[in-house]
Amino acid sequence: GVIWSPKKVAEDAEGDAAAPAAAEGEETDTPVKLAAKLVATKASESCLRILSVDVMLESTVNFWGTYREDELVQENLKMEMLNLMRSIASVEGGAYKLLEGAAKTLPPPSKRVEGADEAPTEPWSPADEFQVFDYSGSPTESLAAAWPYVFTLAGVLSLLFNPETDARTLRGALDAVKALCWDEAKPAGAQEAAVDTIAGVAISMGVLVPLVSLQQAMGDSADPGLTEAISSLSVYLINRGKDRQGHWKEKVAEYQEALAGWKERNETPEAEEPVEEEEDPKAKKKKAKAKAPVAAAEPMPTEVLGDPNKGPTYEQWQPLLNSVVDDIRNGQKNSTPLLAAQIGGITSIVEALLHAGANSNIADSEGVSPLMRAVGQGNEEAMVQVVGSGGDIDCIDKDGVNVLKFAFTAPMREQLDDLMKLLGPPLVIEHSDEAEAAATK
């Protein structure tokens, strides 16, 4: 209900006594810049609060909550908020504005740290380094520490988890998640610490499970570009720790090679001076001048370069890939991304998860392991991958069924593919602009 006046906001910003003064040598923000920042902050807060209306934050289904079945926010308004979130997250510093807006809220009463009943009054800012939050040991304290990240993601992820979310809104949610977790304008090794932390929290909240099940539901979609977009986002999130560590490992190797070359050129050991006969003083001076060394270039820094964000590394990222949530589209309780990928038979995702260190032995609520899923579907390639990654061939589910029995009842892979095609058409997700055009007709 507020009509924004850029002139009025600029005037308010210019006269704001609480605005911090610029440090010496620092560029002072103009009133227009300050106005833009204020608008972005207000827009971020509104966007997050509206998207959170249909999230049951009190629910214990997941540590962060779950989606509301009786939705209160209209689809058109959700789409507007998703597009706004994507736009904010896509600009320089936009993710920080969203996190600042989220920090002004509180976790639900049942999930708060004792005594934390008021929103923080001090300005919040993300850490300069990558952060990992462990929700298994002390979930309340971890949720409080990670709350700005969790609240930023909750409204978007709940739409991906909800199987009733319409195709247009699903597309908007996918675009928003990508903008939050992946700054495509920067190389993989130069992502901001806050952006990588958002991506890590998203995986902890279980985003990979609905992404994988959504890719399976689309099947041979009429929009292969969208299928590829979902797959590329999933693979990016899976490999984030391994890829960043690899990037900085290469940087260190390049530095060490350059340093060794510099030392070889500039630190040649001195040879022993031979005993020389008395020379004519003029000839000796001329000889010394000819042997004078050429001035060496300034040496490189002696410290070894390292990741300024201190992660994510392979070891930091690995446990996140084992997050357990319900795979609602496939009707599976306590699923992991690897189990969801096995159900969908998406071998490329299975391979990426295993190479990134996902645990190949975490079973679902019925005790069914990833190997059992692969065997039960007759997916030989996936079976080899899981066993090669340490999959337990002697595991038994809650009904006492072992891997061998799954093998006896497994269909041929080609027959299973034909059956899946007969069960129904693949899910088609319309592009946002096309869907909007259709909606206005």
Side-chain angles (χ1 to χ4, degrees), residues 128-441:
D128 294 332
E129 299 176 355
F130 173 69
Q131 292 181 286
V132 181
F133 303 98
D134 179 15
Y135 307 98
S136 56
S138 181
T140 303
E141 285 75 8
S142 297
L143 182 62
W147 181 248
Y149 302 94
V150 171
F151 191 71
T152 297
L153 289 159
V156 187
L157 297 196
S158 65
L159 295 171
L160 296 178
F161 274 92
N162 188 351
E164 299 302 320
T165 301
D166 69 273
R168 177 170 166 250
T169 308
L170 272 177
R171 176 65 190 236
L174 284 168
D175 291 342
V177 169
K178 184 174 182 179
L180 286 167
C181 299
W182 184 2
D183 185 350
E184 291 187 283
K186 296 181 179 179
Q191 297 287 305
E192 297 286 345
V195 174
D196 275 338
T197 300
I198 291 174
V201 173
I203 295 178
S204 297
M205 294 170 72
V207 67
L208 286 173
V209 170
L211 281 179
V212 171
S213 61
L214 185 58
Q215 184 177 343
Q216 173 208 352
M218 291 182 64
D220 297 326
S221 172
D223 188 354
L226 181 57
T227 305
E228 175 58 31
I230 297 172
S231 177
S232 66
L233 176 58
S234 298
V235 171
Y236 173 83
L237 291 173
I238 290 167
N239 290 329
R240 190 68 203 107
K242 179 167 65 73
D243 286 350
R244 186 168 182 105
Q245 180 171 310
H247 170 85
W248 285 100
K249 189 176 180 180
E250 287 179 9
K251 285 286 185 186
V252 170
E254 289 172 6
Y255 167 77
Q256 290 174 335
E257 184 179 350
L259 183 60
W262 182 87
K263 286 181 178 179
E264 186 177 342
R265 292 191 302 273
N266 296 280
E267 296 180 9
T268 305
E270 296 182 5
E272 287 188 19
E273 291 285 340
V275 179
E276 297 180 358
E277 296 181 6
E278 196 67 32
E279 283 188 276
D280 178 62
K282 289 184 179 180
K284 190 174 182 180
K285 187 175 181 182
K286 187 176 180 182
K287 194 173 183 181
K289 188 176 180 181
K291 286 185 176 180
V294 178
E298 185 179 349
M300 297 174 67
T302 53
E303 70 272 11
V304 176
L305 293 174
D307 184 351
N309 294 353
K310 302 293 188 291
T313 63
Y314 178 90
E315 290 75 16
Q316 289 172 325
W317 208 254
Q318 186 179 9
L320 305 181
L321 301 175
N322 301 319
S323 300
V324 176
V325 293
D326 291 345
D327 183 359
I328 300 166
R329 281 189 179 81
N330 287 318
Q332 298 296 318
K333 293 280 188 182
N334 298 345
S335 183
T336 64
L338 184 56
L339 282 165
Q342 292 288 24
I343 291 173
I346 309 175
T347 309
S348 60
I349 299 295
V350 171
E351 182 178 4
L353 283 163
L354 292 174
H355 284 175
N359 191 321
S360 57
N361 288 312
I362 297 179
D364 63 17
S365 59
E366 300 301 317
V368 178
S369 71
L371 179 57
M372 289 175 171
R373 287 288 176 204
V375 170
Q377 292 182 341
N379 191 338
E380 185 177 350
E381 186 177 353
M383 286 183 245
V384 172
Q385 290 174 345
V386 174
V387 172
S389 297
D392 183 7
I393 60 174
D394 296 319
C395 57
I396 299 174
D397 70 9
K398 288 189 175 180
D399 294 326
V401 178
N402 60 17
V403 175
L404 187 58
K405 188 167 183 180
F406 271 86
F408 282 140
T409 59
M412 296 293 291
R413 183 68 182 171
E414 292 77 10
Q415 293 174 344
L416 186 63
D417 288 340
D418 292 341
L419 177 61
M420 293 297 290
K421 290 177 182 177
L422 290 172
L423 289 177
L427 175 65
V428 177
I429 299 180
E430 302 175 17
H431 288 288
S432 298
D433 51 356
E434 295 172 354
E436 288 171 4
T440 56
K441 289 183 180 180

Side-chain angles (χ1 to χ4, degrees), residues 4 38-48 81 84 88 98:
W4 288 100
L38 285 173
V39 170
T41 300
K42 293 294 183 184
S44 298
E45 293 174 20
S46 301
C47 167
L48 292 171
M81 293 302 103
L84 176 60
I88 294 171
L98 288 164

